[in-house]
Amino acid sequence: MPELPEVETIVADLRPHLVGRTIVRCELRFPSIVRHPEPEVFIDSITGLTIEGVGRRGKFILIPLGEGRLLVVHLGMSGQLRLVDAATEIANHTHAILDLDDGRQLRYRDPRRFGRLLLGTEDELLTSGTLPRLGPEPIDPAFDAEQLFQRLRRRRASLKAVLLDQGTVAGVGNIYADESLHRARLRPDRLAKSLSRKSVRRLHESLRDSLEVAIRNRGSSVDTYRDAWGEIGNQQESLLVYGRAGEPCMTCGRPLSIVRIAGRSTVFCRRCQR
DNA sequence: CTGGGCTCCTGCCCGC
DNA sequence: TGCGGGCAGGAGCCCA
């Protein structure tokens, strides 16, 4: 599933191809994938606008289109944003097609339809609640361990639940929550507020390391994740715990445990993580 | 306010 | 071989 590293890979790949292109036509094959504004308004508004940038905030893809307008794409569980030649056969579950002025198409495909498209000014999307308030970017150099400590100390919930909360830190999902906690040698069910500054420093560094390594490896294709060209990533081959329940811990060899925390399957080592 | 649980949805895997 | 059930999960929403 696309988390920060997967979204970052897509965004970095698309940017040089999309900036400067004009959207000449928009087709919604499954209109309710657009959550704001009404689909007809979305089509009318987006047609003719020129792409000024391609960015990311947490797991959200942000595409400024001029006139203060922002196209927002969230991939949910199974969303794919692909740049293809217009002649390419249309895959099933393709819900939106943006025709560009260079003969290519930006297509949104999402079998499970947990993803969404939004269009509006940033203020409009924030005040309407369609774009949630997000915590800091974990890989931002300005985000330091002390900031993480201050955020964790106020939270009664488990570390796993807090890492998954996009309002605490933006962009971490089930894969990199488990990976970070393993690297930091912290149990996922530890209460966030119970961590010492020293432990939080370790978690801060582990978060950053897990995410940056995954970006270098172009993300994890453990399920349906594909990049903008339809290719898989490589990080799934190097994951320490995610998807490895029952297999030996890379550090101590003990079989990895799997439990359910915050409604998510959670894999960790009972010996290495305290 | 906070945290936990339910819901949406399809594909995949397992067992009969 | 085919089919049904269970499971996976991001995040909005509701409720205690």
Side-chain angles (χ1 to χ4, degrees):
Chain A
M1 53 252 46
E3 302 181 24
L4 188 155
E6 290 75 28
V7 175
E8 180 62 31
T9 300
I10 292 170
V11 161
D13 281 2
L14 286 178
R15 188 177 298 118
H17 292 271
L18 292 187
V19 172
R21 298 276 63 78
T22 294
I23 297 164
V24 296
R25 179 178 163 274
C26 169
E27 178 188 353
L28 298 179
R29 298 164 59 94
F30 190 89
S32 64
I33 204 72
V34 172
R35 302 300 175 81
H36 184 93
E38 289 301 312
E40 310 78 53
V41 180
F42 179 93
I43 292 171
D44 286 349
S45 306
I46 204 167
T47 306
L49 296 182
T50 298
I51 297 171
E52 293 184 342
V54 181
R56 179 191 62 75
R57 181 78 174 85
K59 302 174 195 170
F60 290 83
I61 297 168
L62 306 178
I63 304 180
L65 297 170
E67 301 172 29
R69 297 195 159 270
L70 196 60
L71 170 64
V72 178
V73 181
H74 193 291
L75 301 173
M77 279 287 299
S78 58
Q80 298 173 355
L81 199 56
R82 298 258 187 107
L83 183 61
V84 296
D85 189 273
T88 306
E89 190 179 348
I90 297 173
N92 59 347
H93 305 298
T94 299
H95 305 314
I97 300 176
L98 299 179
D99 280 84
L100 307 176
D101 60 357
D102 64 356
R104 290 195 283 185
Q105 293 179 335
L106 187 63
R107 296 183 184 172
Y108 182 71
R109 174 174 188 264
D110 187 0
R112 285 177 221 183
R113 283 189 252 139
F114 281 14
R116 68 208 71 208
L117 306 184
L118 312 168
L119 180 67
T121 65
E122 192 170 349
D123 280 352
E124 181 187 342
L125 297 175
L126 281 171
T127 50
S128 68
T130 50
L131 194 60
R133 301 207 169 272
L134 298 171
E137 290 292 325
I139 58 171
D140 181 348
F143 176 64
D144 60 26
E146 180 61 21
Q147 286 176 53
L148 183 60
F149 178 77
Q150 293 302 333
R151 284 173 177 269
L152 296 187
R153 67 182 293 198
R154 286 182 257 135
R155 303 295 300 272
R156 203 170 291 281
S158 66
L159 277 177
K160 174 71 180 259
V162 170
L163 288 179
L164 291 177
D165 176 5
Q166 302 300 298
T168 302
V169 166
V172 179
N174 209 32
I175 297 174
Y176 301 106
D178 281 7
E179 294 295 300
S180 304
L181 289 168
H182 182 74
R183 275 176 186 264
R185 308 194 307 277
L186 292 166
R187 283 179 65 104
D189 57 356
R190 273 277 293 274
L191 292 190
K193 62 187 295 187
S194 77
L195 291 202
S196 64
R197 274 198 166 78
K198 188 178 173 190
S199 295
V200 173
R201 269 202 299 275
R202 232 164 50 225
L203 180 57
H204 176 263
E205 189 182 351
S206 302
L207 260 177
R208 196 163 277 186
D209 290 347
S210 305
L211 296 168
E212 287 178 347
V213 167
I215 291 170
R216 282 200 290 279
N217 285 327
R218 301 186 56 76
S220 300
S221 292
V222 290
D223 192 7
T224 56
Y225 168 70
R226 296 291 183 279
D227 67 21
W229 323 115
E231 303 292 327
I232 63 170
N234 304 303
Q235 180 62 25
Q236 66 279 4
E237 295 160 22
S238 306
L239 295 176
L240 300 172
V241 288
Y242 184 88
R244 298 191 62 246
E247 293 175 39
C249 169
M250 301 283 196
T251 306
C252 76
R254 188 189 196 282
L256 294 170
S257 302
I258 183 163
V259 294
R260 220 159 166 83
I261 302 175
R264 298 286 171 261
S265 56
T266 301
V267 183
F268 70 106
C269 176
R270 290 186 189 276
R271 183 177 294 159
C272 296
Q273 293 175 247
R274 304 286 175 168

